[in-house]
Amino acid sequence: MVTKDFTKDTKELIDNLKGICASYGLGNDGNEFKIITQVFLYKFMNDKFGYEVKQLEPKLKASESWEQEIAEYTDAQYEMLLMRLSPDSAQLKREHFLSNLHNKQNTEEFAKLFDDTLRDIAIFNNEIFSVKTGTGAKITLFDELSNYITDRSQRDNFCRAVINQLVNFSFEKIFHQKFDFFSTIFEYLIKDYNKDGGGKYAEYYTPHAVSKIMASILVDKPVNNVTCYDPAAGSGTLLMNLAHAIGEDRCTIYSQDISQKSSSMLRLNLILNNLVHSIQNIIQGNTLLTPYHKVGEKLMTFDYIVSNPPFKLDFSDYVADLDSKQNHDRFFAGIPNVPNKDKDKMSIYLIFIQHIMFSLSAKGKAAIVVPTGFITAQSGIEKKIREKLVESKMLRGVVSMPSNIFATTGTNVSILFIDKTNTKGDIVLMDASKLGTKIKEGKNQKTLLSPDEEDLIITTFNKHEAVEDFTVVVSYEDIKAKNYSFSAGQYFDVKIEYTDISPAEFETKMTGFKTNLDKLFAESSGLEIEIKKQLASLQFNV
């Protein structure tokens, strides 16, 4: 009940912050995203700091106001307290506390004090919380948020409204919660932000069911000290599910995404889910053109890779750079041609699949969302990739998902599972397209899988069970014989039902068939005569 009520209260806080933005002319503005997520993060960090120092100092925990109690510390005592915090914890000066801003909100130029406080927190924690770009520049935690209010006379009031909304709310009761709680909060927090003008967040968010299935199939036994990577990370939903399945303290996250907004979302997701130690590995940049994660001059390889790459995107500006001798091994199947029209329909996902295959460690595993058409294409780059997966004996299986599992696209999708240790075969091909319940989400139709259906997919796949009209378990030779098709339906047995009937029943059925045929032939003959008659009556009019 505590978590249910708190989830409700947290969503109400988010809605209230959005209401403040709307009141000051920022409703559905592109900058609203930055304000909401950064204010939310500031409040979370403030409360997490209070929670952690209370664990270190019993007298702070017993105090009615830990901020007032800590104000009595000498500078040396406070410095010692900061040194005792976890290396992954936010470091706050006493003037950074939310209570300090609340007490000073009636001072002149309060907006400047607000911005200066957030900027100083970012500088003070730059080494822990900064996201890097591909060139090494650092993207700090906070912007000067009041500057998004164009009317300077309203900036102080805006910042006061934000602070007053935060001061009556506390995260402290739920810091013992884990991924499932914060994933719900995070989903709600970002749900309205995709493009600059607002809208849905499909480019950043993979449905929970898809993420859960990918992680649960990849991580089918306990592992420790492993690396996890997403080359097109978005908000990090896939990585968070994967880390949760492994254990947040038993893995290190690596990512790259060309979008600064995505990188900021992923950073927030890592902070919420106790994965701060991986923030240094979040890179904003072009994965295909300038992959960042390397060991020396060679690309780094990873134990687990998850990806829901963009399917169609114009990358014609750097095709020549990708199609080079240097990239020959990485893009072994080739680069899609640049069409004369509709360059935005270039199949960029085929490049990502090849990059992922190249980036797997010797025992690496991967799960990739692909268009279902990929698994049966009879030529081109698609087939070359499938052939490579079979000939290199690194295919684990495919799950074909229900239509509209993504509400914002009508493209049917499948999940491709790769495992470099699956040399003996035993490949699972699953047709889960008939599962799920269709609902309306706005103007779009969406298919939802129930928890039982999610578990059915995961359990059946991991047990390598063959279930009639649902799964088949095949060998590499079986797949070669089917022209490298990864579609389960092409391997299902065609069943002919036999029914025992008597000679009299057989004769009755045959008589019925003959009678029906005679009737159809008679109708056909009459229709033929009528058509000829109509044709004969046609005349040419000048």
Side-chain angles (χ1 to χ4, degrees):
M1 183 59 73
V2 172
T3 57
K4 183 177 180 180
D5 290 344
F6 193 84
T7 301
K8 177 178 175 293
D9 293 343
T10 307
K11 290 180 178 180
E12 186 176 316
L13 170 66
I14 295 167
D15 288 341
N16 289 343
L17 291 172
K18 291 179 179 179
I20 292 171
C21 288
S23 298
Y24 286 85
L26 291 171
N28 291 321
D29 183 274
N31 294 317
E32 183 192 34
F33 150 76
K34 297 178 181 179
I35 293 170
I36 298 297
T37 54
Q38 291 185 34
V39 166
F40 185 91
L41 177 57
Y42 168 56
K43 174 60 177 172
F44 183 88
M45 292 173 67
N46 181 88
D47 292 358
K48 187 72 178 290
F49 180 86
Y51 173 80
E52 292 184 352
V53 296
K54 287 178 184 180
Q55 310 310 306
L56 297 174
E57 295 280 0
K59 65 178 180 180
L60 295 177
K61 194 170 187 177
S63 174
E64 290 186 9
S65 172
W66 64 271
E67 294 100 327
Q68 291 181 11
E69 184 72 32
I70 216 169
E72 303 300 320
Y73 281 33
T74 65
D75 289 345
Q77 288 174 321
Y78 192 75
E79 184 69 25
M80 286 297 297
L81 180 64
L82 293 183
M83 291 176 65
R84 292 168 61 195
L85 288 170
S86 163
D88 294 336
S89 297
Q91 301 268 317
L92 299 184
K93 301 175 185 177
R94 281 173 281 195
E95 57 266 32
H96 294 159
F97 297 163
L98 177 62
S99 58
N100 181 62
L101 284 178
H102 182 255
N103 292 336
K104 293 182 178 180
Q105 64 177 295
N106 292 322
T107 59
E108 291 186 10
E109 297 188 328
F110 178 67
K112 183 178 185 304
L113 175 63
F114 180 86
D115 288 337
D116 288 348
T117 298
L118 295 189
R119 182 173 61 250
D120 197 46
I121 292 173
I123 294 170
F124 201 47
N125 293 275
N126 200 34
E127 293 304 313
I128 306 173
F129 292 104
S130 289
V131 170
K132 288 185 288 188
T133 66
T135 58
K138 292 185 175 181
I139 304 170
T140 57
L141 271 173
F142 300 114
D143 299 315
E144 294 184 350
L145 299 183
S146 73
N147 286 346
Y148 295 124
I149 306 297
T150 54
D151 185 347
R152 289 177 176 270
S153 67
Q154 292 299 312
R155 289 178 180 175
D156 288 349
N157 289 334
F158 171 76
C159 292
R160 291 185 186 109
V162 168
I163 289 298
N164 285 323
Q165 191 59 238
L166 298 179
V167 77
N168 295 317
F169 179 90
S170 175
F171 282 108
E172 282 197 50
K173 292 180 181 179
I174 48 79
F175 283 127
H176 64 283
Q177 295 296 324
K178 286 288 187 178
F179 168 79
D180 289 330
F181 173 79
F182 286 109
S183 64
T184 302
I185 295 299
F186 182 79
E187 178 180 345
Y188 191 79
L189 180 65
I190 71 167
K191 72 183 181 67
D192 292 327
Y193 308 117
N194 180 7
K195 298 181 179 177
D196 289 342
K200 286 293 179 183
Y201 56 108
E203 71 177 273
Y204 303 111
Y205 194 79
T206 303
H208 177 73
V210 176
S211 304
K212 176 184 172 182
I213 290 166
M214 292 169 71
S216 299
I217 289 176
L218 279 181
V219 188
D220 57 351
K221 60 184 179 181
V223 293
N224 193 36
N225 194 28
V226 294
T227 55
C228 305
Y229 174 58
D230 188 337
S235 64
T237 305
L238 291 176
L239 285 170
M240 295 306 101
N241 275 271
L242 180 60
H244 180 59
I246 294 170
E248 290 83 358
D249 59 342
R250 295 199 293 271
C251 65
T252 305
I253 300 293
Y254 294 82
S255 76
Q256 191 163 349
D257 197 289
I258 200 168
S259 166
Q260 182 174 328
K261 186 184 291 186
S262 293
S263 299
S264 296
M265 286 181 176
L266 176 53
R267 171 171 56 188
L268 174 58
N269 219 349
L270 289 170
I271 292 171
L272 292 179
N273 287 286
N274 201 31
L275 285 158
V276 172
H277 62 272
S278 292
I279 289 179
Q280 61 184 328
N281 303 323
I282 302 173
I283 303 300
Q284 181 211 327
N286 189 321
T287 304
L288 301 179
L289 185 61
T290 54
Y292 180 86
H293 299 293
K294 296 181 179 181
V295 177
E297 293 300 312
K298 293 184 177 180
L299 291 189
M300 185 175 175
T301 58
F302 303 92
D303 301 314
Y304 291 90
I305 303 179
V306 286
S307 183
N308 176 17
F311 288 178
K312 304 288 185 181
L313 198 67
D314 178 8
F315 59 99
S316 58
D317 288 347
Y318 52 91
V319 162
D321 295 308
L322 296 181
D323 194 11
S324 64
K325 184 177 180 180
Q326 181 182 355
N327 283 321
H328 178 74
D329 290 339
R330 184 162 61 126
F331 303 131
F332 63 90
I335 309 293
N337 295 324
V338 180
N340 294 327
K341 297 180 180 180
D342 296 328
K343 291 182 181 180
D344 59 338
K345 293 184 178 179
M346 294 178 69
S347 298
I348 193 170
Y349 80 95
L350 295 171
I351 313 298
F352 274 104
I353 295 176
Q354 294 176 77
H355 172 76
I356 290 167
M357 292 169 65
F358 189 79
S359 300
L360 281 171
S361 67
K363 295 183 178 180
K365 300 180 179 183
I368 313 166
V369 179
V370 298
T372 294
F374 165 81
I375 68 176
T376 56
Q378 291 302 297
S379 61
I381 296 173
E382 294 92 333
K383 189 176 180 185
K384 289 180 182 178
I385 292 173
R386 298 202 315 274
E387 289 176 349
K388 175 77 170 181
L389 289 169
V390 172
E391 300 300 336
S392 299
K393 296 186 176 180
M394 55 192 294
L395 174 66
R396 182 170 177 206
V398 172
V399 177
S400 295
M401 299 298 289
S403 60
N404 302 116
I405 198 74
F406 290 81
T408 51
T409 176
T411 303
N412 290 336
V413 304
S414 295
I415 306 172
L416 172 68
F417 290 94
I418 302 172
D419 183 350
K420 292 187 76 172
T421 66
N422 193 33
T423 56
K424 294 182 179 179
D426 202 20
I427 299 146
V428 180
L429 302 179
M430 177 182 291
D431 181 2
S433 62
K434 298 180 182 65
L435 300 181
T437 303
K438 297 191 182 301
I439 64 166
K440 274 284 189 180
E441 188 172 277
K443 296 180 180 178
N444 300 314
Q445 190 176 62
K446 183 176 182 179
T447 301
L448 293 180
L449 293 174
S450 69
D452 287 344
E453 289 173 322
E454 294 170 6
D455 291 340
L456 174 65
I457 292 172
I458 295 164
T459 302
T460 306
F461 194 103
N462 283 338
K463 286 185 176 180
H464 292 251
E465 289 182 346
V467 179
E468 185 177 337
D469 293 331
F470 186 50
T471 56
V472 291
V473 181
V474 297
S475 67
Y476 287 116
E477 294 304 318
D478 293 332
I479 293 178
K480 290 180 186 179
K482 290 286 188 181
N483 202 22
Y484 298 93
S485 172
F486 292 176
S487 173
Q490 294 194 21
Y491 297 84
F492 291 152
D493 292 332
V494 177
K495 291 183 172 54
I496 301 174
E497 293 186 6
Y498 294 92
T499 304
D500 290 332
I501 60 175
S502 67
E505 289 173 326
F506 175 78
E507 188 64 32
T508 301
K509 284 182 177 291
M510 292 304 295
T511 301
F513 292 151
K514 291 176 182 177
T515 301
N516 287 334
L517 282 173
D518 289 341
K519 181 179 179 182
L520 290 172
F521 289 154
E523 290 177 354
S524 175
S525 178
L527 185 60
E528 181 182 347
I529 294 170
E530 181 63 26
I531 291 172
K532 289 180 178 179
K533 182 180 178 181
Q534 292 293 332
L535 284 173
S537 66
L538 293 177
Q539 295 182 353
F540 179 76
N541 295 322
V542 180

